[in-house]
Amino acid sequence: MAVAAGFEDAHVVYGYLKGSPKDSTELKNTKLTINHAWCSVKIDGEYRFVDCWLASPFYPQNEGKMETHWFLTRPVDMILSHLPKDPLKQFLDSPITQYAFFNIPYVRNAFFWNQLQVIDYKTQVDHNNSVFYLNIKLESNDISCYSETEGEDGITSRGLAQCLVTEEERICQIKAVLPPNQTQGWLKVYVGPKLARASTTTQQQQVVHKHQYPLAMCIRIHQRVPETVPFDFVQLYLDHNEFYVQEPQCYRLYPLQRYNFVIKSSNQIYASSSNRRAVHHKLAIKSPSGRLEKLMYFPQDQTYDGNVLVAEAGKWSLICLLHHTGGWYTVATWHCSV
């Protein structure tokens, strides 16, 4: 069809299409299997790709809708999932190897929908530091992220995905650990439109969960020595204000210990903007019995700080007090057990 439309430089490209995250573990060093075909076409001096199968409404991931991303896809995007048998058909300035291709994160449609850009990530850790890191640049202020790890046995562990803006860029900073007794697995990132929190305190608030967003990407992760004790991160709730919990980021608190609660406000991003301004919220730590410890606001850093003695067992909450209604809502929770 491309030739009939007047494009003389159009060809069928044969190669490999990543079908699942596990492809990265099985085919790194084996002979490449040809399992897919797509088209290349040169338009206005640039090569682009077309994959009619991935664009089709009948492709399972598309949920009955046409996926336009796979029409005239850029080579730098196509190489994330498609590896031509002929390296020259990648149409990149520096073609990548098969080994490099299977080390690239596995991505799905949500990665392209939300124009995600991976800045850096750490996929191997040692016994002294078992936390995996991933930083993603977000082009929109209207999307949120969730992360988890999955071990070889299918057991998952909730990660911590929080958004922060630095130097006018909105970054999702992700931290995660593998489930206990696992040396390898996958770090999964789910991305989608922000969801509104419950409008009143009488409605049950929702925690941030993977079922709220589609899967965007997976990265293979490794650690030499497995952890034997489970570790959980602070539990976040849906909140359009998008506070960043700087301390403590662990979920479990120890009784009769003092914790320094430090919360950063994302509103600092827009303090110098012509159409936005920093907003001073009222934050407090709520004990299981309902006692409030208000956090002090530091405008120069746009942070909220407070040193709190954890003297009760149960759920401790970071709450935001509403200015006009006299109510409040939950931002994050921790748990203390004796």
Side-chain angles (χ1 to χ4, degrees), residues 221-240:
I221 53 178
H222 308 266
Q223 65 182 16
R224 293 182 180 179
V225 181
E227 296 292 332
T228 57
V229 179
F231 179 87
D232 293 312
F233 289 97
V234 56
Q235 177 67 71
L236 302 180
Y237 286 68
L238 294 178
D239 180 17
H240 68 281

Side-chain angles (χ1 to χ4, degrees), residues 117-133:
Q117 297 181 40
V118 176
I119 299 175
D120 56 54
Y121 56 90
K122 181 180 179 182
T123 60
Q124 295 192 25
V125 297
D126 53 36
H127 188 61
N128 296 324
N129 181 12
S130 59
V131 179
F132 299 91
Y133 300 91

Side-chain angles (χ1 to χ4, degrees), residues 108-280:
R108 296 182 69 169
N109 289 338
F111 183 89
F112 302 108
W113 293 341
N114 297 289
Q115 299 178 302
L116 304 184
Q117 297 181 40
V118 176
I119 299 175
D120 56 54
Y121 56 90
K122 181 180 179 182
T123 60
Q124 295 192 25
V125 297
D126 53 36
H127 188 61
N128 296 324
N129 181 12
S130 59
V131 179
F132 299 91
Y133 300 91
L134 170 64
N135 291 325
I136 303 174
K137 180 181 176 182
L138 306 178
E139 292 294 331
S140 171
N141 293 323
D142 300 321
I143 59 176
S144 295
C145 305
Y146 176 88
S147 70
E148 69 175 9
T149 58
E150 180 179 328
E152 293 280 8
D153 57 2
I155 295 177
T156 60
S157 179
R158 175 170 51 83
L160 179 63
Q162 300 188 98
C163 294
L164 191 65
V165 175
T166 58
E167 298 179 355
E168 304 303 321
E169 290 185 340
R170 185 164 181 257
I171 307 296
C172 180
Q173 298 182 342
I174 293 172
K175 295 182 179 180
V177 297
L178 276 169
N181 305 311
Q182 299 292 308
T183 58
Q184 54 189 355
W186 292 268
L187 170 57
K188 296 183 174 182
V189 180
Y190 301 78
V191 181
K194 280 185 182 179
L195 299 176
R197 61 173 173 81
S199 58
T200 68
T201 55
T202 58
Q203 293 178 277
Q204 185 175 5
Q205 286 188 252
Q206 286 185 291
V207 299
V208 181
H209 196 274
K210 67 180 180 181
H211 297 313
Q212 297 157 348
Y213 313 110
L215 177 65
M217 61 182 295
C218 301
I219 300 179
R220 185 68 168 164
I221 53 178
H222 308 266
Q223 65 182 16
R224 293 182 180 179
V225 181
E227 296 292 332
T228 57
V229 179
F231 179 87
D232 293 312
F233 289 97
V234 56
Q235 177 67 71
L236 302 180
Y237 286 68
L238 294 178
D239 180 17
H240 68 281
N241 284 315
E242 210 168 56
F243 296 105
Y244 184 97
V245 179
Q246 191 167 316
E247 295 181 51
Q249 293 187 338
C250 59
Y251 179 66
R252 302 180 192 280
L253 304 180
Y254 292 94
L256 302 180
Q257 298 292 320
R258 283 196 168 273
Y259 287 87
N260 195 36
F261 288 84
V262 181
I263 313 300
K264 188 178 289 288
S265 173
S266 62
N267 287 309
Q268 65 176 318
I269 310 154
Y270 310 112
S272 60
S273 175
S274 60
N275 60 346
R276 300 205 188 194
R277 59 187 179 87
V279 178
H280 175 203

